[in-house]
Amino acid sequence: MLMTILDGSIVTVAMPAIQSDLGFTPVGLSWVVNAYLIAFGSLLLLAGRLGDLVGRKRMFLAGTGIFTAASLLAGIAASPGVLVAARFLQGVGSAMSSAVGLGILVTLYTVPRERARAIAVFSFTGAAGASLGQVLGGVLTDALTWNWIFFINLPIGLATLLVALRALPSDRGAGLGAGADVLGAVLVTGGLMTGIYAVVKIEEYGAGSAHTLGLGALALALLAGFLVRQAKAANPLMPLRILRSRSVSGANAVQMLMVAALFSFQILVALYLQKVLGYGAAATGLAMLPAAAVIGAVSLGVSARLIARFGERNVLLTGLVLLVGVLGLLVRVPVHADYVTDLLPVMLLAAGFGLALPALTSLAMSGAEERDAGLASGLFNTTQQIGMAIGISVLSTLAATRTESLTEAGRPVAEALTGGYHLAFAVGTGLLLAALALAFLVLRPTATTAAATATTTTATTTPAATAATTTTPAATAATVTPTTAKNPEPSRPGTDPRDTPQPLRKVRRVHQGQP
């Protein structure tokens, strides 16, 4: 997961070197990013469902293998066409592996507390990959060559394959006959690919252009046809029952808004540091390192405990409030900012992402049945990519348009750029407020693990449980009956079934089976 997310951003810093070395045109260079994004975002839903049908382990291994091989091809690419093709294949492999990764986690870890910790690690790797991508891309490009941003995937990919072969349990899946809807697969993949392509080209053609509106309408028509097909198909690719869950549908909608808003933090803050404040690539990465550190610390050390005590919904709301503070502060960031007073508080408030994403992931997966775990995982990752594409296109376009208008009005370049970023940060704040309202209204409160634990404790101290785990007068009397007296060797602890607290084990099973 770290490698998949990291690869989406690691190329951004190396783009000038790639363009100079391979001779990309300015328009063609964007396809180094777009080819990966389109393949990744459009295939996640299909890959997630196929994982449920053919086996999640098989899908994970195949995707990791394709991604690793494509990374080698990208590293040795000597022409623009080869590199773009390799990036598309990387996106295909990433979609196959990451679509089922979350589904594997939730089926392996069924105990609520353990699942919360596993999802926290999963969320941390995603946040860490996004944060480390730009830093690592700059370091590798400066120290070696741009080729090494792809070569670094080879040992990681091979190690992942070797560990996964031994560590992941085999699952046969439901079989292609349980959902081999070819027409549905064509409709959803075509719709998502067309829609993401239209969104990522908004900056080039404009939001109101015939190109954008025409492709957008085609994408909506294809996706609408997909939904109609799923309602009527005997073996649908995506059973619509998964969308009836308020947790699943609500969490995915909240995530789309949140990720679209936070693009302005991840990318536009980096541009502000470089273009306005004059930071270099390495200095920009170090300046944003506190954000990665607090996100990691909160994801790994705090989020699971808070979710267990207060529930996913409350932790999500708290995280969203902190993120509103992040973009709200950035709306007022000055042209000549001081890092300690103006930017460091923003980086520290990014801890809200470490709270929000694990809680959101738990909510998105909690409403799905085990047979649909891969599909729910693919859907969650799909909405993440759609949100990212929307954020990249819409917020970048707004910032560029505002900067251009301020420049034409005679403002200095640094001031015009800052004004454009301010508009993007303000729109991002609005998206986060919408996500906060949606989470509050749609996502229902969940029973906390602490409450469930208290219930379990109460259950284990009932008279029935106590009678089964303590020595009753009847049991004491039985030890002096003639039958027992004839046995000169006393029974050893653990040999008598009564020594095992059976009712307690049953209560735990019931508790672990709760959603």
Side-chain angles (χ1 to χ4, degrees):
M1 186 64 186
L2 175 71
M3 189 170 57
T4 295
I5 299 298
L6 183 147
D7 229 65
S9 59
I10 195 172
V11 299
T12 56
V13 177
M15 295 280 269
I18 293 174
Q19 183 178 17
S20 175
D21 195 11
L22 297 184
F24 272 97
T25 64
V27 174
L29 186 63
S30 65
W31 281 100
V32 177
V33 174
N34 292 342
Y36 181 85
L37 181 63
I38 290 173
F40 187 31
S42 61
L43 293 174
L44 279 164
L45 192 62
L46 175 60
R49 184 55 178 165
L50 288 177
D52 290 331
L53 299 178
V54 304
R56 300 182 193 107
K57 180 177 180 178
R58 292 177 184 174
M59 184 62 66
F60 181 84
L61 293 174
T64 304
I66 291 174
F67 178 86
T68 305
S71 296
L72 175 61
L73 180 62
I76 63 176
S79 67
V82 174
L83 181 58
V84 170
R87 290 287 288 166
F88 187 88
L89 289 176
Q90 277 189 310
V92 173
S94 294
M96 294 171 66
S97 58
S98 62
V100 297
L102 190 55
I104 291 173
L105 277 186
V106 299
T107 52
L108 284 178
Y109 296 97
T110 57
V111 179
R113 183 178 294 274
E114 291 181 355
R115 177 180 288 186
R117 291 174 61 189
I119 288 177
V121 174
F122 179 89
S123 302
F124 164 72
T125 57
S131 302
L132 292 175
Q134 291 180 324
V135 181
L136 194 58
V139 171
L140 290 174
T141 302
D142 290 343
L144 300 170
T145 63
W146 63 264
N147 310 77
W148 284 91
I149 66 176
F150 301 115
F151 287 149
I152 195 174
N153 293 331
L154 301 182
I156 300 174
L158 292 174
T160 302
L161 287 170
L162 292 175
V163 174
L165 281 169
R166 295 175 59 91
L168 297 184
S170 299
D171 58 319
R172 300 182 62 181
L176 291 176
D181 182 11
V182 178
L183 177 59
V186 171
L187 288 172
V188 70
T189 304
L192 289 172
M193 193 170 290
T194 304
I196 293 174
Y197 173 77
V199 169
V200 299
K201 301 300 283 185
I202 284 179
E203 189 173 0
E204 180 178 345
Y205 290 96
S209 66
H211 179 275
T212 301
L213 295 178
L215 288 178
L218 176 60
L220 290 176
L222 290 172
L223 293 176
F226 168 71
L227 292 176
V228 172
R229 169 68 180 176
Q230 299 314 287
K232 297 180 178 180
N235 295 315
L237 181 70
M238 186 185 78
L240 297 183
R241 62 175 179 269
I242 194 172
L243 298 178
R244 298 191 189 104
S245 168
R246 292 169 65 98
S247 295
V248 173
S249 56
N252 278 278
V254 170
Q255 179 186 226
M256 191 182 301
L257 292 170
M258 183 181 76
V259 171
L262 290 179
F263 160 78
S264 61
F265 173 78
Q266 180 186 347
I267 303 297
L268 296 185
V269 168
L271 292 175
Y272 167 79
L273 290 171
Q274 295 184 37
K275 293 187 175 183
V276 177
L277 300 185
Y279 284 35
T284 298
L286 292 174
M288 300 187 71
L289 194 59
V294 295
I295 289 172
V298 171
S299 296
L300 293 177
V302 179
S303 63
R305 294 190 183 97
L306 293 179
I307 289 173
R309 182 170 183 180
F310 300 106
E312 292 95 339
R313 179 176 180 266
N314 291 331
V315 174
L316 171 62
L317 294 175
T318 303
L320 289 173
V321 169
L322 292 177
L323 293 176
V324 169
V326 169
L327 296 189
L329 289 176
L330 287 173
V331 170
R332 302 177 60 85
V333 69
V335 176
H336 304 289
D338 179 76
Y339 180 79
V340 174
T341 58
D342 295 319
L343 292 173
L344 185 57
V346 172
M347 302 298 171
L348 297 179
L349 283 176
F353 190 73
L355 293 176
L357 188 58
L360 202 56
T361 306
S362 297
L363 286 166
M365 298 302 295
S366 65
E369 301 176 20
E370 183 174 345
R371 56 178 171 167
D372 295 328
L375 175 61
S377 174
L379 179 62
F380 188 73
N381 283 288
T382 299
T383 56
Q384 188 177 87
Q385 293 304 308
I386 292 174
M388 187 182 300
I390 292 173
I392 289 173
S393 58
V394 175
L395 297 182
S396 293
T397 301
L398 290 174
T401 303
R402 177 64 173 164
T403 298
E404 184 178 353
S405 65
L406 291 174
T407 302
E408 292 175 352
R411 300 287 183 86
V413 174
E415 186 178 338
L417 285 169
T418 305
Y421 298 145
H422 282 171
L423 176 60
F425 294 143
V427 174
T429 304
L431 292 174
L432 283 176
L433 289 172
L436 182 63
L438 187 64
F440 181 80
L441 295 174
V442 174
L443 298 177
R444 293 170 177 169
T446 57
T448 65
T449 303
T453 303
T455 304
T456 304
T457 305
T458 303
T460 59
T461 55
T462 58
T466 305
T469 56
T470 59
T471 305
T472 62
T476 305
T479 62
V480 294
T481 58
T483 304
T484 307
K486 293 179 181 178
N487 184 4
E489 183 179 356
S491 61
R492 293 168 295 173
T495 59
D496 192 325
R498 291 174 298 180
D499 290 330
T500 304
Q502 300 291 338
L504 178 59
R505 292 172 61 189
K506 290 179 180 178
V507 169
R508 284 178 178 165
R509 290 195 191 98
V510 172
H511 168 57
Q512 292 172 9
Q514 290 178 352

